[in-house]
Amino acid sequence: MARRSATQVRHETLAEPPSLAEQADRHALYQQAVNAPGAHIDFIRKVYRGMRKREPRVLKEDFCGTALMAATWAQRSPHNRAIGVDLDAEALAWGQRHNLELRGPALARRVALVHGDVLEDRPHRADIVCALNFSYNLLLARHQLLAYLRGARRSLLPGGLFLLDCIGGTEAVIDFSEERGCQDFTYIWSQQDFNPLDHSARCSISFAFPDGSRIEPAFAYRWRLWTMPELRDCLAEAGFTGVRIFWEYSDEAGEARHVEIDREQNQEIWLAYVVAW
Ligand SMILES: C[S@@+](CC[C@H](N)C(=O)[O-])C[C@H]1O[C@@H](n2cnc3c(N)ncnc32)[C@H](O)[C@@H]1O
């Protein structure tokens, strides 16, 4: 073993231990704070089986990031397959390692991760195509949203369903920040510079730790908050002939329940699933 010099030893003794932020993995924190793939899967299987009287088997996750939804889908059944598409090679590589390979080669073989733009035409076809956590809001121009929806419709197998989530309400169209305590960190969502003329805003996700350190921002992007009527108009224009809206209600224990509706009162913040075909 190499001998350490006196200077090296002194530096090691004086060196500050790494902060919690320095030790953290932003993708792992994001998944813990934001993703709930099991609930999305339970919802869409229930709707698909109700409408089509059979099990959906192939799921395509657009804007997949670390592809936790695709991985969870494949984990549900050895008959399930999934495709994930994202522009971010680093997020995909992280997902390949942590969400696929660590769950075993049999599962990893049933999930294909594609590095690319969701606007590009691809040969993949699926029973369920989804764009969740409001990711289509990253498409800033109407012609992009429309091109994306047309492509999503083309990638449905016969009987296939397209699943989106939508956020709205009086507080979704102003600058706001939200902090939520997670197991050993705080998740901070922020929407700033909301422009009522085009509904664009700067968004970020940050993480704060008990030792005072922060990852700020861990993720940052510009988005456009598409409204439900714009989304429905674009879905129809893209060729979708059916749409069902499922509004999220919370019971006293905070458990979410989704109920199909065709009208509701506006709220400060509301969430809804949109299912189209
Ligand atoms: C907010 S993250 C959502 C990730 C994941 N859907 C989730 O539920 O956590 C948005 C993702 O969309 C990806 N993205 C943005 N524009 C894209 C595009 N045009 N094509 C493919 N991926 C895109 C980003 O790289 C990022 O990983």
Side-chain angles (χ1 to χ4, degrees), residues 231-262:
L231 199 51
R232 293 177 73 167
D233 285 352
C234 286
L235 284 165
E237 207 170 317
F240 287 91
T241 52
V243 172
R244 299 175 71 185
I245 313 280
F246 296 83
W247 197 265
E248 182 173 312
Y249 297 92
S250 294
D251 65 19
E252 274 145 32
E255 281 294 307
R257 217 164 34 90
H258 293 92
V259 180
E260 186 169 12
I261 52 151
D262 53 22

Side-chain angles (χ1 to χ4, degrees), residues 89-107:
E90 190 224 326
L92 288 173
W94 193 98
Q96 180 72 36
R97 173 88 195 112
H98 294 84
N99 291 333
L100 301 184
E101 286 164 15
L102 290 180
R103 294 176 195 211
L107 182 143

Side-chain angles (χ1 to χ4, degrees), residues 27 30-31 34-36 40 61-69 85-89 91-92 114-120 122 130-136 138-139 144 148 165 189 205 219 221 223:
H27 293 299
Y30 176 90
Q31 287 195 172
V34 175
N35 290 137
H40 294 317
E61 182 185 13
D62 287 333
F63 306 93
C64 68
T66 57
L68 185 60
M69 176 86 176
V85 182
D86 201 284
L87 273 181
D88 182 346
L92 288 173
V114 179
H115 178 215
D117 195 321
V118 294
L119 298 179
E120 286 161 17
R122 281 173 218 293
C130 63
L132 293 168
N133 278 326
F134 324 109
S135 302
Y136 57 90
L138 297 171
L139 302 174
Q144 290 176 310
Y148 169 62
D165 48 8
W189 160 262
I205 291 173
F219 301 92
Y221 35 87
W223 82 358

